[in-house]
Every structure is written in structure tokens, then in C-alpha cells.
Amino acid sequence: MGRIRILSDAVANKIAAGEVVERPASVVKELLENSLDAGATEFRVEIEAGGRRLIRLSDNGCGMMRDDALLAFERHATSKLADVKDLLSIATLGFRGEALPSIASVSRLLLETRAREEQAGTVVEIAGGKILRCEENAFAPGTTVTVRDLFYNVPARKKFLRSEQTETAHAASLVTHYSLAHPAKTFLLRHNNTDLLDVAPAASLKERVFQIFGSQVLEDLIDLGESWRDLPVPFELDEAPAFRRFRLRGFVSGPQVQKLNRNSVYLFVNGRLIRDRLLLHAISSAYYNLMPPACWPFALLFVDCDAEEVDVNVHPSKTEVRFRHSSMVHDLVRDTIRAALIAEKPVSRIFSAAPPQPGAGLPYSEFSQSLENMAELAPVSGLSHEQTDPALLPEFRLHRPPPSTPRFQFTDAPRTEPEIAPAKLDIPDTHGPLSPGASPELDSLDALSDLRPLGQIHDSFIVAAGRDGLWIVDQHVAHERILFEKVLAARGAGCIETQRLLIPAILALTPAQQIEYARIADELDSVGFETEPFGNRTIAVKAAPAELAASDVEKVLLEILEISERELRKTSLDDLRRGIAASIACRAAIKINTRLEPPKIDWLLRALAATSCPMSCPHGRPIALRYSTRDILRSFHRI
Ligand code: ADP
Ligand code: MG
């Protein structure tokens, strides 16, 4: 007798459930997607014990007819697809017909539903995939699905669940993000009888962002508005439109918000929450040269396009998509974000000695506050003794860079915030009020244009007085930014200044460098390096960009080859150009520990103000810090 057997349905269902239902949050996701597909406008999610004990979702959607209520638990039973052709243009979130049977096979599930057009509702009770009860009952139209004891019959999967807080945070993250995708709808999320999220219909995405994250986060965000790109499509006989439009809306944070993981990047494609490497790459390219490479911003992006332009049937949990015209989408995202960042020119602040505001540096919104509080709750006995893994908690907070990021501090200002806000001092009038108009708060680097230089600290940092406070500019990174833009602009216009080297530099290359060299030789040439092969794996450099000192030419070339090999092999020509310009700029820029004469300082500040992106150097470090007048007043207890 052979060894191969066909698995019973019950086992097969559990295997599939393993893919679709990985944790409580997956159940929440599937139920929410069903409710959204059912056209609901009100969603009430209740969770107990991180979703292990109970997950309940009630909606006011179209409900199910009596016969459908049972059919819904058959595998591959769906109302959303009729035939294979429909798979090419899926407009609903669900389509596989797998979620309900999968969830029902690993839990005790109760479905209560009533279709609008029917008088009575239907109750279906299932445990471990077995139907226990199916009867009529009276309900309001809509659907409530209650999932109890998740994985009670799959101990192996139960073992992989994390702590109650972590599981709740994942589930909360899902509800929150679907609520962002549907600002006009009502969402309530309750955990162990505490409301974690309770949002009424909002007029706009911005208002919903405010409801969820609060005003402080909103201040750190840049509204991308709505941009689009059209893809021309050939006319077909039955007058198809002449183009397909790709739209992008959303919010991103400025380069000052730097996060160490991608947990704050939320991507939606046609209303579906997804993970997508292509879009992540587009985002990091947008921040390339504005933020250090390992950092991520906060981003909430909605891409909308024709359903035929995107294949959603890529993965069982439907979190991955494939675009038919991926570079179009990539470039739309990258260029829109980059343009918005450059237009905004946000400024890095010097650490403020202001009395602490409630919750400053801690949660920004009530929502994250409740998550935070929850994390402090003792685990419910018998349920969770594991450690919370903070790295796995989805983040809702925007963190300013840690105070150590600005490499300079005013020693007089207390670095750690006092525990009790100092009482406001009664300042005698002789101290004089500040002249009117002395503290306009400009939160953008536009204020750089009329700085008055005061001097240099450590021959490295320029100190200057501005309309809105005291500024400190890192002379090396400032010059780096100026040169970077100059090199890029000259390259773009094809008018690079070069210098002949008196003696050609001879460079011996490793085999890997040789390959990179062959790949980018033309680009090197366009940027001003005149090179030619000189024997086996050796090149001669006869001319170099004018900015570079002859002694630096070799170093810069090797660096460019290294960057090109390490990071840029897969990325675009545009990124390669930026990488090359950044290397040249870094080598050629004024070093720190260099005394500068006043006219040179003047020139540097003016040239910096004229750059398109004076907030950070090509490697993503901040260039200018401001100690705002308001912070100065606060530090002297004048306000
Ligand atoms: P899919 O969503 O892929 O179709 P599911 O197993 O999630 O598969 O759901 C099966 C079917 O049950 C759906 O196609 C839909 O007709 C019905 N259904 C599920 N949830 C709801 C709901 N909340 N309201 C109305 N109908 C629902
Ligand atoms: Mg579904």
C-alpha cells in the first residue's frame, strides 16, 4: 500500500486556515474586509484577551440571505466572483471564498445575519468547522460574526501567538488603518471593555488623520493632496477611454521624523491595505539624500487605479499585489513625495528646554495613549506570560529624532525636562518686553535667506541670528548640499566643468569593481571623469570634475564604484546620478575644523538658502538647527 493519502477536509481546511488565519488580527482583517464589501458604513469591533477569547464584528451592511448564510462556510464559496475572467478586475476586497470556512475551522463561530430584503435573520453556529445549529431569529439588517476561542483546536498555532498586548495592537492597527481608508464611515474598536478607537464620520482624510493621531502628528505631516499620472491606452473599437489614470493621495512626514522600521508606512491600493516592495522602494527613493538610508518616514498612501491594472490574486492573505505598469506607479509615488518634501523645506529644531507638555515625546494621540496604557496592564491571568515584543507593536507615534541627533546643545538649557514645570517667574518690567514682531515663528527653512552670521564654533559650525531665532549651520554638510545640487544641475544641463590632471591617476580595480566600472563608465564620463581602460583591470583617469582636488580623485572614484556595487545595482539611473553627485560633493566640501573668513561664511549661507533642499545633506544628516525665539523665551521663563 502506498504512503500517500488524501487529507480529510477538516485537515485541509486547517492548513489553509494557517495561511489565511495566522493570528487574531488576520480574523479582524477578513471580517472587516467582508463588512466593507457588504457596503457597511458602521463597524463595531470587540476584542477580548487580545482576540484569543473573543473577536466580534457587527456591521450594518447588506447581510446574507438565509441560504447564503450556510453556503458562506463552504470552501471557495463567494458572491464576489462569477468566473475566471472576473479575476482580472477584482473590485472587492475579498474574492477567494476562503476566509469564513478557514476561520470557522479553527474557532467557535457564531454568525448572525439578516439581509435587508428578508423579514427574519439567520443564526449559524459552528465549532471547529462543524455546523452545530442553523435557525431563524429576529435581527436588524446587517451581520455580526462572533469568533470565540481562536485556535482552540490547533494548539500548535496557539503557541505562536504573542502577548495579549501585541496581538491587540496588531488588531488595532488593522482597524485603525481601514478607518483611515474610509474616513466617511464609523468605526468603534473595543478591547476588554475599553474603547481604543471611536471615530464618527469625517469630512476628509485629513480630519480622520486628526481624529486618530491628534493635532501634533498632523503638524508633522505633509499633505500630498491628489496627484495623478495617465497611461495612454490604445483605442479599442468599443470606445475604451484613451488613458488609464493612476492617482495618489495621502500624507508623509518630513525628513525630521526618522523611524528605524517600516511600521509607520501604510499603503493602500484601491482601498486594500497591502505590503509592497515596489512602493516601499519608491518611498525610500523619495527620501534618498534627505534621510539616512536605514530610516523610514511615516507614510499613509492611497494609490487608486483601474482594477485591471493591478493583480490582487498573488497571496492567500491578499496583502500583496502586482502592478501591470509598475514603474509608472513607482515613479508617481517617488516623484510626488519628493516634490512635496522639497516644497516644504521643514527645519530641524534644536532641543527645546521648554517645560514639558503633557505627553510630549510620549503618545501623540489618545489612541496611542490607550495602546500605551494597555501595554502596561498586567496580562490577564492564564493567558499570557510572554514578554511583549515592542519591535512587533505597530507604531502610531511619530518620534522626533532622539535629542542626540542634533550634535550640539546649549549647555545652559536643562537637557532633561524638569519633572515639574517651573512656575512662571514674575519678571520685573525692567527686563523689558521683547520688541513686537520679534518672534515670528517660521517653520520652514525659508528663514535661512536673511541670516546674519555671528561667528563660528570650533571652526566647524556657523552661528547666525535670524528673524525667528538662533541658527547653527554645519559648514561641511551645508557646502555638501550646495555642491551636490550644483553637480546634479550641471550634469542635467550637460555643462560639467572638468579639470585635466597633470599626471593621469592610475587605478587598479578588483574584478567586481571592473564590472561596475564597465556598467557606469558612460555616466562617469558625463559627470566629468575622463577615464579609459589601461591594461588588465586598470584604468587611467585623465580628467575629473573641477570641484575635486586632484588628490581626492582616486578616493572619489573608488567610492562611487563601491556605492554603485553596494546599493545601486538594482536602482535607477537617477539614483546612480545622485549617488555620484553625493560622493563628489562630500569629498569636495569644506571640512569641519576649518576657519572661514566672514565673506566665505556669508557666501555659504546665501548659497545654502538658494538650494532647493537646504534641510539635509545628501546623506540625510540635518544641515541647520534652529533655536527658535519661542524656545529661547521659554528657556528664560519669559513665556
Ligand atoms: P470572500 O470574501 O472571499 O467572498 P468569505 O469566506 O470571506 O469569502 O465570505 C464568503 C461570502 O460570505 C462572501 O462572498 C459574502 O457573500 C458573504 N459574507 C461574508 N461576510 C459578510 C458580511 N459581513 N455581510 C454580508 N455578506 C457577507
Ligand atoms: Mg472575505
Side-chain angles (χ1 to χ4, degrees):
M1 205 172 102
R3 286 190 228 163
I4 298 176
R5 262 177 289 151
I6 299 202
L7 294 173
S8 69
D9 275 359
V11 179
N13 266 345
K14 281 182 196 166
I15 294 171
E19 290 169 7
V20 179
V21 188
E22 205 188 329
R23 60 190 335 162
S26 345
V27 174
V28 173
K29 173 173 182 288
E30 295 296 339
L31 297 183
L32 255 182
E33 291 188 346
N34 279 346
S35 298
L36 284 161
D37 284 344
T41 54
E42 285 171 25
F43 309 81
R44 185 189 166 91
V45 185
E46 287 162 84
I47 294 176
E48 284 174 19
R52 295 159 185 240
R53 196 189 307 145
L54 174 113
I55 299 168
R56 175 180 292 137
L57 197 155
S58 308
D59 70 44
N60 63 347
C62 66
M64 291 183 231
M65 320 273 267
R66 188 180 164 79
D67 292 348
D68 285 349
L70 270 183
L71 208 55
F73 292 96
E74 296 288 329
R75 296 224 24 189
H76 307 300
T78 178
S79 57
K80 302 168 194 174
L81 290 183
D83 58 34
V84 176
K85 183 165 94 274
D86 294 348
L87 270 174
L88 296 177
S89 57
I90 294 168
T92 48
L93 295 168
F95 54 88
R96 303 175 69 98
E98 275 179 345
L100 286 183
S102 300
I103 297 168
S105 69
V106 293
S107 67
R108 304 180 209 277
L109 187 147
L110 186 72
L111 168 73
E112 297 161 291
T113 188
R114 192 191 125 197
R116 230 160 265 282
E117 53 273 54
E118 288 192 331
Q119 291 307 312
T122 310
V123 189
V124 178
E125 194 181 337
I126 302 189
K130 284 208 175 58
I131 298 181
L132 305 181
R133 179 160 70 104
C134 173
E135 58 197 36
E136 263 190 19
N137 212 334
F139 304 115
T143 302
T144 298
V145 179
T146 308
V147 176
R148 288 183 200 273
D149 303 331
L150 186 63
F151 300 137
Y152 79 99
N153 56 350
V154 200
R157 190 144 290 276
K158 208 167 177 177
K159 263 198 231 139
F160 282 96
L161 291 182
R162 301 236 157 210
S163 67
E164 176 174 340
Q165 301 91 300
T166 306
E167 294 301 342
T168 310
H170 278 285
S173 158
L174 261 150
V175 182
T176 309
H177 295 99
Y178 270 115
S179 78
L180 286 161
H182 298 271
K185 302 186 172 180
T186 305
F187 289 80
L188 176 74
L189 170 65
R190 176 167 272 216
H191 178 250
N192 294 351
N193 293 326
T194 313
D195 285 352
L196 293 183
L197 178 77
D198 183 1
V199 283
S204 63
L205 175 60
K206 187 168 184 173
E207 193 182 321
R208 179 59 49 99
V209 169
F210 170 78
Q211 287 175 325
I212 290 175
F213 297 108
S215 59
Q216 238 169 323
V217 168
L218 199 56
E219 261 174 39
D220 278 333
L221 298 182
I222 302 168
D223 189 346
L224 297 177
E226 177 161 340
S227 3
W228 63 84
R229 252 175 222 185
D230 292 336
L231 176 78
V233 287
F235 263 113
E236 280 168 28
L237 283 181
D238 43 353
E239 39 52 78
F243 57 81
R244 289 203 175 138
R245 182 158 283 186
F246 292 80
R247 293 172 201 275
L248 174 67
R249 300 172 292 128
F251 289 86
V252 293
S253 54
Q256 78 280 11
V257 174
Q258 298 177 359
K259 295 168 156 288
L260 296 176
N261 58 40
R262 307 165 185 172
N263 289 352
S264 298
V265 175
Y266 305 109
L267 306 173
F268 290 83
V269 172
N270 289 348
R272 179 189 304 281
L273 183 59
I274 55 145
R275 299 244 136 241
D276 185 69
R277 290 183 49 177
L278 175 90
L279 295 185
L280 285 171
H281 183 269
I283 295 172
S284 62
S285 310
Y287 285 84
Y288 187 64
N289 300 133
L290 292 178
M291 211 195 250
C295 289
W296 289 90
F298 170 100
L300 175 63
L301 300 183
F302 296 91
V303 175
D304 291 295
C305 59
D306 199 295
E308 290 189 18
E309 283 293 329
V310 43
D311 181 5
V312 293
N313 191 15
V314 178
H315 190 267
S317 65
K318 302 166 289 174
T319 47
E320 286 170 31
V321 294
R322 215 172 278 136
F323 291 101
R324 273 178 67 190
H325 294 92
S326 52
S327 60
M328 177 112 185
V329 184
H330 176 276
D331 295 356
L332 170 65
V333 170
R334 181 196 59 197
D335 298 347
T336 307
I337 300 179
R338 191 181 281 169
L341 289 172
I342 286 177
E344 200 80 4
K345 298 184 188 171
V347 67
S348 295
R349 286 179 202 180
I350 287 177
F351 179 73
S352 155
Q357 293 159 1
L362 277 171
Y364 270 49
S365 69
E366 268 177 47
F367 176 66
S368 38
Q369 177 79 66
S370 26
L371 272 186
E372 196 81 11
N373 293 344
M374 238 174 45
E376 282 158 19
L377 290 180
V380 175
S381 62
L383 272 170
S384 165
H385 300 287
E386 316 145 3
Q387 289 268 301
T388 319
D389 181 349
L392 288 166
L393 279 174
E395 279 190 77
F396 292 97
R397 279 171 279 143
L398 296 182
H399 298 283
R400 296 244 165 234
S404 57
T405 310
R407 282 151 294 158
F408 184 87
Q409 257 181 62
F410 289 97
T411 44
D412 276 352
R415 187 190 154 94
T416 44
E417 296 171 340
E419 300 222 318
I420 306 162
K424 202 175 155 210
L425 299 181
D426 213 357
I427 301 163
D429 265 348
T430 46
H431 284 237
L434 208 69
S435 63
S439 62
E441 286 286 316
L442 289 175
D443 258 341
S444 108
L445 286 166
D446 287 339
L448 272 178
S449 54
D450 55 3
L451 292 188
R452 189 159 45 84
L454 304 173
Q456 236 181 335
I457 308 175
H458 294 306
D459 289 342
S460 303
F461 307 105
I462 297 165
V463 183
R467 280 180 270 171
D468 58 346
L470 182 68
W471 289 73
I472 301 178
V473 176
D474 180 324
Q475 66 195 35
H476 171 68
V477 292
H479 196 209
E480 220 179 329
R481 165 56 64 186
I482 297 163
L483 290 174
F484 172 72
E485 293 197 6
K486 185 175 160 205
V487 171
L488 269 188
R491 166 68 187 81
C495 55
I496 290 281
E497 277 176 56
T498 58
Q499 54 176 334
R500 304 237 119 235
L501 301 181
L502 285 179
I503 311 161
I506 307 296
L507 254 73
L509 303 180
T510 64
Q513 286 169 333
Q514 172 70 37
I515 295 169
E516 278 316 303
Y517 169 71
R519 195 172 71 89
I520 65 170
D522 284 351
E523 186 53 35
L524 287 174
D525 186 60
S526 328
V527 87
F529 289 101
E530 196 184 306
T531 61
E532 61 186 37
F534 187 75
N536 192 19
R537 283 203 271 113
T538 307
I539 55 172
V541 189
K542 295 178 158 171
E547 284 79 16
L548 285 176
S551 56
D552 283 333
V553 169
E554 188 176 331
K555 280 192 214 116
V556 171
L557 264 177
L558 291 176
E559 190 176 289
I560 291 172
L561 290 173
E562 194 195 311
I563 300 174
S564 153
E565 190 186 359
R566 195 182 55 218
E567 304 176 24
L568 299 171
R569 186 185 288 279
K570 292 189 203 70
T571 60
S572 64
L573 185 62
D574 187 46
D575 288 346
L576 174 65
R577 281 186 191 151
R578 292 173 158 267
I580 293 177
S583 291
I584 296 172
C586 181
R587 276 292 154 194
I590 299 166
K591 304 281 176 288
I592 57 164
N593 294 315
T594 307
R595 161 87 29 104
L596 300 179
E597 295 307 317
K600 181 89 183 181
I601 294 182
D602 256 353
W603 170 84
L604 193 70
L605 292 180
R606 260 181 290 111
L608 177 65
T611 59
S612 67
C613 190
M615 58 273 206
S616 43
C617 85
H619 301 103
R621 289 183 292 174
I623 295 175
L625 305 175
R626 186 190 58 173
Y627 194 23
S628 72
T629 312
R630 183 191 301 223
D631 286 342
I632 294 173
L633 289 170
R634 277 208 198 110
S635 302
F636 287 119
H637 302 175
R638 282 178 176 272
I639 54 171

